[in-house]
Amino acid sequence: NESTTFKELLLEMLGHHKQGIAVIAAEVAAKLLLAGCLHDPTIIAWLLVIYFDASLTEVDDDDDVDGSEVKKVGSPVRLQQLLSIFFPTYSMSSLDANDAIMAAVGPLLTIVNGKLEGKKQAKALNQWPIAKMVEYICYNVDLADKKKKEESAEETDQTEADNCSQVKEEGEGDNQAEATAEDDDTVVEASSTLLASIDIAEFLSEEGASAPTYYNRALAKMLGSASIDVDAEDTALLSRLKSQVAEAEFSTDDGPT
């Protein structure tokens, strides 16, 4: 219960209307995530919203800001620099962390929708550029996946080398290596683009009716421009995407047709 209470308090502070409170909460959250104390997609989504918030980046670009601002806790400049390092570092820290970043797409879409409430003009998306946010998530996830594959390839090469040495002594090992390679070939990992597209389609089908038309159109445009290699993806996930897109078309007037 204590951890739940703390999480709720942290989320409340991250969404606080006072910039200073949100900035301090974001720094605390980032450090807790890096320490492995948390793996929460919603908290990560809030960090993304704060990181991309144009009202904070404008402060970061202020010519009057000096180097001392970077050292001040609660400074938007300090937070921007911290988060620019946080996301790639966190995504590469563990598989759970990378999965948590990928899972942040859904909560992110909902949070931005809440930020847009009452804002009737599409220029509101300039403050929370949802397309850039999702693209940034996919970029970091793909970067971590690439690192993981490179490390796995190195381990495989080492294993094969060890097996070759063992063959000379025991006459076995080749079969084991081939079996391992065959098992690896059967694993189909979904691309970040497919997973993000599923989250977008699910949002449109479940929450699109309450979202501003320009937001729905922006998300539909993201779906339409997504590059997905259907031959390399899991068929069950592709079917799920197709189903969600169909539901979205019925749920909103401006569905991703």
Side-chain angles (χ1 to χ4, degrees), residues 159-173 176:
T159 300
E160 290 178 350
D162 293 341
N163 285 338
C164 287
S165 298
Q166 186 177 358
V167 166
K168 296 178 181 179
E169 298 178 0
E170 302 179 3
E172 299 177 355
Q176 294 177 354

Side-chain angles (χ1 to χ4, degrees), residues 7-179:
K7 175 184 171 181
E8 291 176 348
L9 177 61
L10 187 57
L11 287 171
E12 182 179 346
M13 294 176 67
L14 287 169
H16 204 280
H17 66 278
K18 290 186 178 180
Q19 185 184 87
I21 294 177
V23 168
I24 293 175
E27 182 168 339
V28 171
K31 290 181 177 179
L32 287 173
L33 286 163
L34 279 175
C37 300
L38 296 171
H39 286 303
D40 190 279
T42 302
I43 291 177
I44 295 171
W46 271 108
L47 292 183
L48 283 159
V49 169
I50 293 172
Y51 182 53
F52 278 89
D53 190 334
S55 67
L56 291 179
T57 56
E58 286 173 0
V59 174
D60 191 22
D61 293 336
D62 193 337
D63 294 334
D64 296 332
V65 174
D66 56 38
S68 63
E69 282 293 314
V70 180
K71 300 180 180 180
K72 295 180 180 178
V73 176
S75 164
V77 179
R78 172 189 170 101
L79 181 65
Q80 285 291 317
Q81 293 193 5
L82 186 153
L83 292 181
S84 68
I85 298 172
F86 164 77
F87 289 109
T89 302
Y90 180 68
S91 65
M92 292 184 184
S93 64
S94 70
L95 182 60
D96 288 340
N98 202 34
D99 288 344
I101 286 188
M102 190 70 249
V105 174
L108 175 65
L109 299 174
T110 299
I111 292 170
V112 173
N113 186 37
K115 293 283 189 182
L116 297 175
E117 185 176 357
K119 302 182 185 298
K120 298 182 178 180
Q121 298 184 7
K123 65 180 182 180
L125 284 176
N126 293 335
Q127 185 170 357
W128 299 287
I130 189 61
K132 289 184 179 180
M133 293 182 188
V134 174
E135 182 180 353
Y136 187 67
I137 289 176
C138 293
Y139 169 78
N140 281 287
V141 169
D142 290 344
L143 201 62
D145 283 342
K146 180 180 179 181
K147 179 185 177 184
K148 182 182 69 174
K149 290 177 180 177
E150 290 175 349
E151 292 176 347
S152 178
E154 291 177 359
E155 292 177 359
T156 300
D157 291 342
Q158 184 61 47
T159 300
E160 290 178 350
D162 293 341
N163 285 338
C164 287
S165 298
Q166 186 177 358
V167 166
K168 296 178 181 179
E169 298 178 0
E170 302 179 3
E172 299 177 355
D174 283 342
N175 293 336
Q176 294 177 354
E178 290 175 1

Side-chain angles (χ1 to χ4, degrees), residues 171-248:
E172 299 177 355
D174 283 342
N175 293 336
Q176 294 177 354
E178 290 175 1
T180 301
E182 290 175 0
D183 290 340
D184 290 342
D185 291 340
T186 60
V187 177
V188 178
E189 293 186 4
S191 67
S192 60
T193 302
L194 175 58
L195 295 175
S197 296
I198 290 174
D199 285 332
I200 293 171
E202 287 183 349
F203 173 86
L204 288 171
S205 65
E206 297 172 6
E207 302 181 54
S210 63
T213 299
Y214 61 81
Y215 188 45
N216 285 338
R217 288 176 176 170
L219 296 181
K221 183 178 180 181
M222 292 167 62
L223 275 180
S225 62
S227 178
I228 299 174
D229 185 355
V230 294
D231 294 328
E233 299 287 2
D234 183 83
T235 54
L237 290 177
L238 289 171
S239 297
R240 180 179 170 188
L241 174 60
K242 183 177 180 180
S243 175
Q244 290 295 336
V245 169
E247 289 186 23

